[in-house]
Amino acid sequence: SDGEIGRVQGLVIDSDSHRVTHVLLQEGHLWGRKDVAIPIGAVTNVTDGIRLNLSKQQVQDLPAVDIDHPSREPAESATVA
C-alpha cells in the first residue's frame, strides 16, 4: 500500500448501462493537485476507503480530467454522480 493518494470527487456513470465506469479522484498535494479518472476495474475494495490495484505513481501518471465537464470524461456517454 502506498498510503492515501487523494480524495474521491465523484463517479462516472455510463448513461446507457447505468454502471459506474470510473472513480473521479483529486490526487496530489496543495501545489500539485489534479483530478484523474480511475477505471472502476482498478478498484479492489471499498471498505474503509477505496483501495486500488494501482500504485501511487501509476495514479500520478494518469492524465488530468475536467470533472466540471462530464461530456469530456473517459466514457463518451457518461454523467458524473
Side-chain angles (χ1 to χ4, degrees):
S1 169
D2 286 342
E4 185 175 316
I5 294 175
R7 296 201 161 278
V8 174
Q9 300 296 307
L11 303 170
V12 177
I13 301 172
D14 183 280
S15 57
D16 293 329
S17 69
H18 304 288
R19 293 180 183 245
V20 175
T21 62
H22 292 78
V23 175
L24 298 175
L25 181 80
Q26 184 179 67
E27 72 88 20
H29 53 77
L30 184 58
W31 298 278
R33 284 191 184 145
K34 71 175 178 178
D35 297 317
V36 295
I38 307 290
I40 198 65
V43 176
T44 60
N45 193 326
V46 293
T47 305
D48 192 30
I50 293 179
R51 307 278 181 216
L52 305 173
N53 63 5
L54 301 174
S55 69
K56 192 176 224 177
Q57 185 62 52
Q58 287 173 306
V59 172
Q60 290 172 346
D61 291 344
L62 290 171
V65 296
D66 186 351
I67 65 172
D68 295 324
H69 296 92
S71 62
R72 295 182 188 156
E73 294 303 329
E76 192 169 304
S77 60
T79 56
V80 176

